[in-house]
Amino acid sequence: MTRVVLVGPPGAGKGTQATALSRELGVPHISTGDLFRAHIANSTELGQDVKRYLDEGKLVPDEVTNEMVRTRLEEADARGGFLLDGFPRNVGQAEVLGKLLSTAETKLDAVVEFKIDEDVVVERLLARGRDDDNESVIRHRQEVYRTETAPLLDYYADLLITVDAVGGVDDITARVLAALRDRS
Ligand code: ADP
């Protein structure tokens, strides 16, 4: 179970879980949000191009995102597996990921859905206070999740593992690891 995609609404705790799971599973945590924010912090050309999408809670155009992920997955540490956090975020990106993996003669092992009520997470995100964590941008990101990202749950029905994302950080990590173990 080394090639895993994490899906869940903004604030579901994917990033926190990915850090712990990456340690447990020994594969890199690849977060498209983190990659974009690093580009923005370093004022790269890509960072300058994508900043307005992040500020508004909109998806960065697929060409930019797909290319950034393709490059990242080609790095040596991702050859043996990865935890993808925040990618794919729509069916088009999922199709591109499928092609990238089949070209590399591999495939996904599991898609983990973090299930949590939207209203529970708004408070949590407001407390986190990242640049794009103000209420209207959060609400917009949630809408994007419902319309663009949630269809992935059907797309990946065969690989899907749904985990209750309400609870303590360590408990949730244990739930994910147990569910992955059951599958393999
Ligand atoms: P959250 O899970 O709280 O929404 P992320 O760090 O995953 O936070 O994403 C922050 C922002 O980065 C998104 O609102 C979007 O602008 C951009 N982004 C991240 N991943 C993708 C992606 N796969 N496709 C397009 N845009 C993305």
Side-chain angles (χ1 to χ4, degrees):
M1 284 293 170
T2 51
R3 293 186 178 85
V4 177
V5 164
L6 308 179
V7 182
K14 294 188 300 294
T16 305
Q17 290 303 323
T19 305
L21 293 167
S22 160
R23 222 178 6 242
E24 292 289 331
L25 300 171
V27 293
H29 167 205
I30 301 178
S31 156
T32 42
D34 287 350
L35 291 172
F36 287 134
R37 283 185 289 275
H39 275 283
I40 292 169
N42 295 323
S43 292
T44 67
E45 201 176 323
L46 190 150
Q48 289 171 25
D49 289 344
V50 305
K51 186 175 185 310
R52 64 191 174 97
Y53 296 101
L54 275 88
D55 286 346
E56 292 174 13
K58 296 185 173 153
L59 292 189
V60 171
D62 285 351
E63 314 83 77
V64 178
T65 307
N66 292 337
E67 181 57 18
M68 182 178 75
V69 171
R70 189 182 66 75
T71 308
R72 180 65 188 86
L73 288 179
E74 280 174 359
E75 286 176 34
D77 67 333
R79 293 275 160 82
F82 49 75
L83 276 170
L84 272 175
D85 162 12
F87 184 92
R89 237 179 171 91
N90 60 34
V91 171
Q93 293 180 1
E95 285 170 348
V96 168
L97 176 63
K99 283 184 196 136
L100 288 176
L101 294 177
S102 69
T103 303
E105 292 180 355
T106 178
K107 59 183 174 48
L108 286 180
D109 296 307
V111 174
V112 178
E113 176 199 6
F114 290 84
K115 205 171 181 63
I116 192 162
D117 193 80
E118 272 191 9
D119 291 324
V120 177
V121 297
V122 174
E123 291 302 314
R124 207 195 262 186
L125 288 169
L126 288 173
R128 179 172 73 178
R130 208 171 68 194
D131 278 356
D132 58 344
D133 285 339
N134 66 69
E135 184 145 5
S136 69
V137 173
I138 291 169
R139 295 276 179 210
H140 187 69
R141 300 214 308 275
Q142 291 183 321
E143 189 188 326
V144 170
Y145 180 79
R146 281 195 300 270
T147 57
E148 307 256 340
T149 309
L152 290 178
L153 304 174
D154 283 334
Y155 182 86
Y156 284 132
D158 294 346
L159 292 175
L160 196 66
I161 296 175
T162 299
V163 171
D164 176 7
V166 182
V169 172
D170 295 344
D171 292 337
I172 298 168
T173 308
R175 278 176 213 159
V176 176
L177 290 171
L180 288 173
R181 231 175 277 125
D182 281 351
R183 269 299 169 101
S184 55

